[in-house]
Amino acid sequence: MSEVNESDRFECVVVNVIDTLMWKGVVVQEIESGGRVYFGKVKAEGFAYGPGDILYIGVKPLPYELEEMKMEVSLYDADNQRLDWTFL
């Protein structure tokens, strides 16, 4: 397996979008591995994506472990704008 760099982006498809008052909950699935990630605080303003649309995820290893979490995963649009992030 090759090393993952912070600048790497992985194409994923939007599986579900949950509307809340100020945020969108977005579930994406990485195309090659089939792994899914949930992002719970994507700003609703300007978010025009739905199931089937393509977004991108980036992975960055944490310099230290937070409990059982080992990496930061970020959600990006096609313009490389960071939409949200989570720890895994």
Side-chain angles (χ1 to χ4, degrees), residues 5 9-10 13 20-21 23 25 30-32 43 59 86:
N5 297 314
R9 299 288 182 263
F10 301 94
V13 64
T20 64
L21 295 175
W23 309 101
E30 202 273 324
I31 294 174
E32 290 192 26
K43 290 183 182 178
V59 179
T86 190

Side-chain angles (χ1 to χ4, degrees), residues 1-86:
M1 183 173 170
S2 63
E3 186 175 321
V4 175
N5 297 314
E6 186 177 340
S7 62
D8 291 342
R9 299 288 182 263
F10 301 94
E11 193 171 280
C12 56
V13 64
V14 176
V15 176
N16 194 15
V17 177
I18 302 161
D19 286 317
T20 64
L21 295 175
M22 292 180 56
W23 309 101
K24 301 252 186 193
V26 180
V27 178
V28 295
Q29 180 172 329
E30 202 273 324
I31 294 174
E32 290 192 26
S33 71
R36 290 185 177 192
V37 181
Y38 173 72
F39 296 92
K41 284 197 166 187
V42 177
K43 290 183 182 178
E45 184 179 322
F47 188 83
Y49 299 96
D53 289 335
I54 300 295
L55 291 173
Y56 300 87
I57 55 175
V59 179
K60 177 172 77 171
L62 295 174
Y64 51 88
E65 289 188 24
L66 294 172
E67 299 176 14
E68 296 180 4
M69 297 173 262
K70 298 178 182 175
M71 66 184 81
E72 179 181 326
V73 180
S74 298
L75 181 66
Y76 296 92
D77 63 12
D79 296 325
N80 209 29
Q81 179 180 343
R82 188 175 182 196
L83 303 173
D84 195 13
W85 60 271
T86 190

